[in-house]
Amino acid sequence: MDREVQFIGQSSAFLDAVERASRAAPMRRPVLVIGERGTGKELIAERLHRLSTRWQEPLVTMNCAALPETLIEAELFGHEAGAFTGATRARAGRFEEANGGTLFLDELGTLSMGAQERLLRAVEYGEVARIGANKPITVDVRIVAATNENLPRMAEEGRFRPDLLDRLSFEVITLPPLRVREGDVAVLADYYGRRMAAELGWPAWPGFAAHVSEQMDKYAWPGNVRELRNVVERAVYRWDDPGRAIGHIQFDPFESPWRPAALMGAPVPARSAAVDRPAPAAVASDFDAVADLRSAVDAHERAILEHHLGRNRYNQRQTAKALGLTYDQLRHCLRKHGLLERGEVA
C-alpha cells in the first residue's frame, strides 16, 4: 500500500472493518462498503483489490453521482458510434475497461432504476451490451460498491432494486465514523501533522498543545478523516513558530468576523459600538455534571486563556486586547492558572 492509501488507526472498531476487508479480498464475490463521507470507503475498495488475485489487473473507479442520469449507462456499458446524438465513435464502458480486474462504483445509491436493471444483468450473468449494440460482451469484473445511503430502506421504498441489493451484499463492510474510533483522533492528527511539518521543512515536530488535543478529541468530526486531515494540515501551515507546540486550531475554515451574511445564515447587524467588542464565549450547557462550581469556573477560564493564547501566537498583549483585559490583568490570570510557571507563554 503506498503513502496515500495507508490505514491509520488503532481502535477496535476500525481494525475490525479493515480485517473484514482483508478476509473478503481473495473472494470473487461483490462487496458493499457502507460509511459516512470521509470514512475511507475508497481506501477499502483499494485494499479489496490489492489483496485479491486481481491485483495486477485494472482497478477502475466510477462516481455514480458525478454524471447526469442520461450519461451513466453510456459510461458504465459503453456505446456504439451513432447510438445517440454526439456519439461520433464507439467507446468502451467502465465494465470493459475493468475486465479481469475490479470496478469500484462509488455513490451507488444515486443510480437510476434503468441503470440498476442493466447493472443487475452484468453482475448476474457477466454480460454487458454497449448502447446501440446487438450482441452482449462477456466480462470478468468484480464489483465493489460504496454508499452512505440506507439501501435496505431505499429498496423498501421502491427506489432501489431489492434483487440488485441481494446480489451486491454478499459481504457488507460498514466503516465506523471517526467520532466512535476511540484513540484514533490523536493518532491521525499526529500522523498528518508530522507529514505537513516535513513538507514545510520544519526541523522537528513540536506536537499539539494540550488544550488543542483536547479540542480535537471532543470535536464530532462530521467530515471524518478527510475533515481531520484538512483541519490538522491547515493548523500546521498557519503556525509560524515550529519550536513551540501548535496552540491554535480552526475547525471551520469559513469562520471569520467578516463572513458575508449569506454564509452566516443571518443578516449582518448594523455597525454600532456594541459590535466592536467580542461576544462572550459560549459556556458549556451540561450544568448537571458540575459538582464543584469553583473548579468548573477555573477550568472554563483556563480553556478560554489557552484558546486565545494559541490564536494570538502566544503574544500576550494581543491576547489581552482580544479578551478585553489589560496586560497586567492577563498576566495575573496566567499566573493564577500556572501558565507562566510552566513556560507555556513567553
Side-chain angles (χ1 to χ4, degrees):
M1 308 294 282
D2 63 38
R3 185 170 185 249
E4 294 303 319
V5 294
Q6 293 185 55
F7 285 89
I8 309 297
Q10 61 185 15
S11 67
S12 58
F14 170 73
L15 294 178
D16 286 348
V18 174
E19 174 62 20
R20 178 170 289 191
S22 300
R23 289 176 63 89
M27 306 294 292
R28 299 170 59 89
R29 306 291 181 84
V31 176
L32 191 58
V33 185
I34 309 293
E36 297 177 6
R37 62 185 175 95
T39 49
K41 296 187 289 295
E42 191 165 351
L43 295 184
I44 289 291
E46 177 92 3
R47 187 176 188 85
L48 288 165
H49 177 72
R50 298 301 177 197
L51 296 183
S52 74
T53 57
R54 301 166 178 260
W55 66 274
Q56 290 182 306
E57 302 299 330
L59 169 62
V60 177
T61 298
M62 175 176 164
N63 188 330
C64 301
L67 294 169
E69 184 176 328
T70 54
L71 294 180
I72 286 179
E73 292 189 48
E75 191 70 22
L76 271 175
F77 307 109
H79 60 79
E80 297 292 349
F84 50 83
T85 303
T88 57
R89 59 186 178 86
R91 183 183 182 281
R94 299 296 178 92
F95 267 94
E96 292 180 66
E97 293 175 0
N99 191 27
T102 304
L103 176 60
F104 175 51
L105 299 177
D106 200 5
E107 302 291 349
L108 179 72
T110 63
L111 278 182
S112 66
M113 294 300 287
Q116 291 178 33
E117 184 175 355
R118 297 193 64 177
L119 178 60
L120 174 63
R121 182 172 183 83
V123 175
E124 188 81 36
Y125 302 107
E127 292 182 348
V128 297
R130 293 183 181 181
I131 296 176
N134 296 322
K135 295 182 179 180
I137 303 170
T138 300
V139 292
D140 174 22
V141 175
R142 185 198 192 175
I143 302 292
V144 176
T147 184
N148 58 7
E149 300 281 355
N150 188 330
L151 293 185
R153 179 182 298 171
M154 291 179 64
E156 291 176 0
E157 296 171 351
R159 296 185 291 127
F160 197 88
R161 293 184 64 101
D163 44 3
L164 176 59
L165 181 59
D166 291 339
R167 287 294 296 151
L168 293 178
S169 57
F170 166 76
E171 178 63 284
V172 178
I173 300 172
T174 303
L175 299 180
L178 185 55
R179 61 183 173 272
V180 304
R181 291 171 51 177
E182 186 175 356
D184 281 357
V185 169
V187 173
L188 286 160
D190 185 74
Y191 173 75
Y192 288 122
R194 288 178 181 274
R195 279 183 43 169
M196 192 63 182
E199 184 178 333
L200 295 172
W202 287 11
W205 169 237
F208 295 98
H211 69 281
V212 170
S213 297
E214 185 179 358
Q215 288 173 4
M216 288 192 290
D217 192 54
K218 292 181 177 179
Y219 185 62
W221 300 109
N224 292 291
V225 179
R226 186 183 298 121
E227 181 186 14
L228 181 142
R229 177 176 177 174
N230 284 338
V231 168
V232 167
E233 291 183 345
R234 182 167 58 243
V236 174
Y237 110 87
R238 287 180 176 180
W239 193 247
D240 55 8
D241 187 359
R244 187 191 293 273
I246 295 169
H248 180 67
I249 195 164
Q250 183 179 20
F251 295 102
D252 182 2
F254 297 97
E255 178 187 346
S256 171
W258 304 284
R259 181 157 57 171
L263 293 178
M264 297 175 66
V268 177
R271 181 170 178 81
S272 67
V275 300
D276 289 332
R277 187 173 182 84
V283 179
S285 58
D286 188 12
F287 299 129
D288 290 337
V290 175
D292 185 332
L293 178 61
R294 186 181 299 277
S295 297
V297 171
D298 285 346
H300 190 65
E301 184 177 77
R302 181 188 174 93
I304 294 172
L305 289 169
E306 289 176 326
H307 172 79
H308 282 277
L309 283 167
R311 186 168 191 169
N312 290 282
R313 303 295 193 271
Y314 293 96
N315 184 301
Q316 296 179 33
R317 296 194 181 278
Q318 290 182 8
T319 301
K321 183 178 179 180
L323 291 172
L325 301 173
T326 66
Y327 178 74
D328 290 337
Q329 287 172 332
L330 176 67
R331 296 280 297 184
H332 173 75
C333 290
L334 296 177
R335 190 173 293 107
K336 170 185 172 183
H337 293 286
L339 296 178
L340 289 177
E341 288 78 354
R342 289 176 54 185
E344 296 184 18
V345 183

